[in-house]
Amino acid sequence: MRARFDTLFGRLFGVLLIAIVLAHLLAFAWFHYYGPPPPPPPPAFPEDMDGQRPPMDPRLAPRPARPWFGGPLVPLTFQLISLIIAAWYGAKLLSRPIQRLSDAAERLSENLDSAPLEESGPREARQAAHTFNKMQQRIIEQVKQRSRMLGAVSHDLRTPLSRLKLRLEQIDDDKLQGQMRQDLDDMISMLDATLGYLHEQRTSEASQWMDVQALVESLSENAQDQGANVQASGHCAPLQVQPMALRSCINNLLDNALRYAGNALITLEDNRQHLVIRVIDHGPGIAADKREAVFEPFFRLEGSRNRNSGGVGLGMTIAREAAQRLGGQLSLEETPGGGLTAIIRLPRT
């Protein structure tokens, strides 16, 4: 709760408000205790010979008591209200450019092709917006350059690998031919996985409302159509996410569960703060001291490079980075009774 209200606007407004109130309280106290003294009482007049007082000079007549609203309280109140309004407006003017910059940075983190920040407002705000827009353009150019490089690398590597596969047919030794074909298939699989991983890193998409429950049920049915033992349970309300990132995250976790355990259960748990997606299997599991290491690129628990036994070690990396792009977290726990449970926590904001 404290972090929610700990803003630049709140700090500026609070400091100015405290200073204004304190200054007025001190001024009021000084005016009350050290203000001008009341006028002296009129002098006494001797009685005349008939025992009656002579007529009093009107200038020396006692002044009537001033009403309560004639004192300094009302002017001070008006002044206090005016200064509070001025402090609020000034603090809002100071915090508005920073809020605009923060919103633009949030949009950029979700979509590199978001609209540039409007260069308006005070000079400092215009300079910050101009610098931010230049940074966005440089990032976009770097991403495009890397995309072109990935396309060139993919083409240059696939061409000699395809020629090698054709030349394998000229080898008479069937055993050697099979071993070399397996090695080439592994190389192609590693190339495809690496390019897919790099593609996931450079992909940006806008958030939109999505029926996560329908997505989970669709992935489960697709796996069942291919003969896999996959079940889905639970309900949830629609969530604002990046659809491709969420699909990639769940898909990689599901593939990992089916590869090692041959079965998987996807559960949904929804509340006001988070949507929790669990991919549960009853396979061999992962030791507690290795659960963070499996998120490193190309890390595999077994020494074999055979894709059939464990892929190339990028699935869990892609899944965690996809979860982070969604603003969530991905963690691993042991399944009760043996196995591995992958837990995706997505915020509802």
Side-chain angles (χ1 to χ4, degrees), residues 301-316:
L301 293 176
E302 75 286 341
S304 171
R305 299 298 296 180
N306 188 345
R307 184 173 182 269
N308 293 328
S309 65
V312 297
L314 286 175
M316 300 299 286

Side-chain angles (χ1 to χ4, degrees), residues 97-310:
I98 299 178
Q99 184 63 46
R100 290 176 54 241
L101 186 62
S102 175
D103 294 341
E106 182 69 23
R107 293 194 301 268
L108 181 62
S109 66
E110 298 176 354
N111 182 14
L112 289 178
D113 298 324
S114 60
L117 184 60
E118 182 181 359
E119 299 180 11
S120 61
R123 182 180 61 181
E124 294 81 3
R126 294 196 303 269
Q127 290 177 348
H130 180 70
T131 304
F132 181 86
N133 291 335
K134 287 178 60 178
M135 178 192 68
Q136 180 179 2
Q137 290 300 321
R138 290 177 181 176
I139 293 175
I140 292 175
E141 289 299 326
Q142 290 178 358
V143 170
K144 290 181 178 179
Q145 183 178 3
R146 190 174 69 171
S147 300
R148 292 191 294 266
M149 182 188 68
L150 288 177
V153 169
S154 175
H155 178 270
D156 292 343
L157 288 179
R158 289 179 186 276
T159 301
L161 289 176
S162 299
R163 289 200 301 263
L164 285 175
K165 292 192 70 173
L166 292 176
R167 291 174 181 174
L168 282 178
E169 304 299 330
Q170 301 177 3
I171 298 178
D172 297 332
D173 190 338
D174 294 339
K175 181 179 179 180
L176 178 60
Q177 185 185 88
Q179 292 174 345
M180 295 182 66
R181 181 178 290 108
Q182 182 63 51
D183 290 339
L184 284 176
D185 290 340
D186 292 343
M187 292 176 64
I188 294 175
S189 298
M190 292 177 61
L191 175 63
D192 292 339
T194 303
L195 293 176
Y197 169 65
L198 296 176
H199 175 75
E200 288 284 341
Q201 282 191 321
R202 67 182 175 88
T203 298
S204 62
E205 57 176 327
S207 298
Q208 62 186 49
W209 289 100
M210 184 178 187
D211 189 345
V212 180
Q213 181 178 341
L215 171 64
V216 169
E217 293 175 352
S218 174
L219 294 176
S220 176
E221 292 174 358
N222 292 340
Q224 292 174 3
D225 293 340
Q226 298 176 5
N229 181 13
V230 179
Q231 302 295 328
S233 66
H235 304 277
C236 69
L239 181 68
Q240 192 171 13
V241 296
Q242 300 175 17
M244 291 178 58
L246 181 58
R247 178 182 291 272
S248 174
C249 182
I250 300 177
N251 252 333
N252 279 281
L253 296 176
L254 184 59
D255 290 343
N256 184 78
L258 294 177
R259 179 180 296 117
Y260 287 99
N263 60 80
L265 171 64
I266 307 176
T267 65
L268 299 173
E269 181 182 339
D270 199 4
N271 55 54
R272 293 183 178 180
Q273 288 77 28
H274 295 89
L275 170 62
V276 181
I277 305 174
R278 290 182 172 87
V279 181
I280 306 171
D281 68 60
H282 293 280
I286 300 177
D289 59 341
K290 299 292 185 182
R291 289 173 190 163
E292 281 299 317
V294 297
F295 292 113
E296 296 295 328
F298 302 105
F299 179 87
R300 298 199 316 167
L301 293 176
E302 75 286 341
S304 171
R305 299 298 296 180
N306 188 345
R307 184 173 182 269
N308 293 328
S309 65

